[in-house]
Amino acid sequence: MTDYSQTLIDLGYIAASILFIVGIKMLGRPERARRGNLVSALGMLIAIVAVLFECCLDFTWVITGLVIGSLIGLIAARTVKMTSMPQMVALLNGFGGIASFLVGWENFHSQPDNTLFVQVAVILAVLIGGVAFSGSLVAYGKLAGKISGRPILISQHRWLNIAILAALMICGALLIYFPPGPLLYVVFVLFMVLSLALGVFGVIPIGGADMPVVIALLNSCSGLAASAAGFIILNNVLIVAGSLVGASGLILTGIMCKAMNRSLGNVLFSGFQAVSSTAATTTVQGEPKPITPEEAYYILEAARSVVIVPGYGMAVAQAQHAVRELGEILENNGAEVRYAIHPVAGRMPGHMNVLLAEANVLYEQLAEMDDVNPIMETVDVCIVIGANDVVNPAAREIESSPIYGMPVINADKARTVLILKRSMAAGFAGVDNPLFVKENARMLFGDAKATVQQLVAEFKES
Amino acid sequence: MSIGLLIFVFVLAIFLGVELISKVPSQLHTPLMSGTNAISGIVIVGALTATGSGADLLGTLLGTAALIFATVNVVGGYLVTNRMLAMFKLRGREKK
């Protein structure tokens, strides 16, 4: 190959890197986000075309891989329901991780006598990619309800994880110091298995409510794994794109942790104390006041300002369309309607925003917690739909509560709080919620979607 | 390419990533995550290289498997993100 064409390929990589950076920048602004995604997709296309001009590609396999992968991706993206979006993102993220893992394996398989630098990159790509893959699969299972969302603990779990980490370090050191040969391959296979095990045993003790943090962190991992793969094939575009994703994932992880007032370590390891912490919670005194949809209708009919707080329960009941209909009816009735969204409501960062957007709720009606809390006292009715921990006043009032200090939406400060809930069961954190027995709280028991539809029907009849 | 230069690029890109993301409204967290997830499919470039450089059939198969997974990540990731972002509507454009 001539120097000239290599320069063109390099220019392609530079163009791709710039498009990724601009694309991510645009993704951060609502009005330009969609174009930002297209810009970054264009960058990806340029990077793929550029690498196709590099030497020695086997085009039968390349085309086979590209066609099969594109078809699966296309069908999956077209058919996935909006309510299943968290698990879809988890699954796709896992695929990115396994790709880095396999690139590392291929390199070890084909060139076992590489330089020390590449060896370290292979080890990191396999380790981080493997954790991202198996961790994402477990997260997928939890989000899709295929495995229990509650923290799962095996006896001596903490020691098991420490043992896996220690074994990984020993294998990693052996991989660097051993000469190539069949024995080294055995160590490498062991290292791969341990990496996958670390992802499984690391994520499985984490509860479903903490999944927003876990997904953001795994997203960061798959980016860093891609970056490590970039060090293997000595390619700048992988390093740039991978580390951009790695950094952004870490920032998102930090934002999620802050929204729960917990440290990352607490999220990752709190499952270990799951049993002891629930026993220590104080029980709440008082009786909840259940009402019928008809009574709720009279309350809403008179309301001039309404704030709707959606939670995971809305996603489970797939009530977002019914909720939007109720919101529109309330608006036509002369009320000002806003949706207050807690950063960790649902199972993915921004989960509720996606569902409400799917139901055609206007972007401007979606408000963040910090914008709603100061005006909560002027709100006539706050409707809590399938949310629990994110509106729990215990976070402000009860110092012994496990969620004390977590920023919450102050639903209890509205004149009336309507709570749509399936039963009196505690939320995901297993914490009692004093909101339900407050003087101004009214409970509407039942499936969120059915209840909202009943409310809509009450408005239409009158 | 020298190792030092690669690490240099890596560190600078990390800082750039931190700067880019630090002020994103929470409404966009999901599309941002799914969009950056699609970008991490850039490993497709590594997978393409690996597909070509396999020393034997197993090497090629490993590369091809990596390529399939990475392609699903890229294609699925961008389409899903686009679908989500298409739903965010601004007032005035489609107000009934």
Side-chain angles (χ1 to χ4, degrees), chain A residues 20-21 24-25 27-30 33-34 37 40-41 44 47-48 51 56-58 61-62 65-66 68-70 72-74 77-78 80 82 85 89 92-93 95-96 98-100 102-103 105-106 109-110 117 215-216 219 222-223 226-227 229 231 233-236 238-241 243-245 247-248 251-252 255-256 348-351 353-354 357-358 360 362-366 368, chain B residues 1 3 5-7 9-10 13-96:
Chain A
F20 288 143
I21 293 165
I24 293 182
K25 178 97 192 148
L27 268 176
R29 295 265 191 83
R34 198 175 179 193
N37 189 50
S40 121
M44 186 64 73
I48 293 170
V51 75
C56 334
L57 288 184
D58 183 337
W61 291 104
V62 163
L66 284 176
I68 295 176
S70 302
I72 299 174
L74 191 71
R78 282 283 170 84
V80 64
M82 277 303 148
M85 213 39 105
V89 173
L92 287 173
N93 188 51
F95 285 179
I98 190 76
S100 301
L102 290 168
V103 168
W105 185 2
E106 191 280 330
H109 178 83
S110 302
F117 181 76
I215 297 191
N219 187 34
S222 67
S227 215
F231 283 110
I233 60 164
L234 306 176
N235 186 315
N236 262 330
L238 261 85
I239 296 175
V240 170
S243 48
L244 283 175
V245 176
S248 71
I251 295 274
L252 270 181
I255 294 174
M256 296 296 117
M348 169 172 74
H351 190 183
N353 301 93
V354 171
E358 187 211 0
N360 285 325
L362 290 166
Y363 180 77
E364 288 87 343
Q365 281 182 298
L366 308 176
E368 293 188 34
Chain B
M1 221 178 293
I3 292 165
L5 190 63
L6 290 172
I7 296 174
V9 168
F10 174 73
I14 291 267
F15 274 93
L16 184 57
V18 171
E19 284 300 311
L20 280 177
I21 304 300
S22 45
K23 278 185 198 127
V24 174
S26 63
Q27 280 93 338
L28 285 172
H29 281 168
T30 291
L32 180 73
M33 211 175 60
S34 137
T36 51
N37 174 41
I39 295 178
S40 70
I42 186 67
V43 69
I44 192 171
V45 168
L48 283 165
T49 313
T51 311
S53 65
D56 52 16
L57 185 63
L58 180 58
T60 309
L61 286 178
L62 287 174
T64 310
L67 179 58
I68 292 175
F69 281 117
T71 313
V72 175
N73 188 187
V74 168
V75 175
Y78 280 116
L79 287 176
V80 159
T81 311
N82 191 46
R83 245 184 86 184
M84 276 194 273
L85 288 172
M87 297 180 323
F88 286 100
K89 291 196 184 68
L90 298 170
R91 195 179 286 272
R93 205 182 300 169
E94 240 180 287
K95 175 76 180 158
K96 275 162 253 167

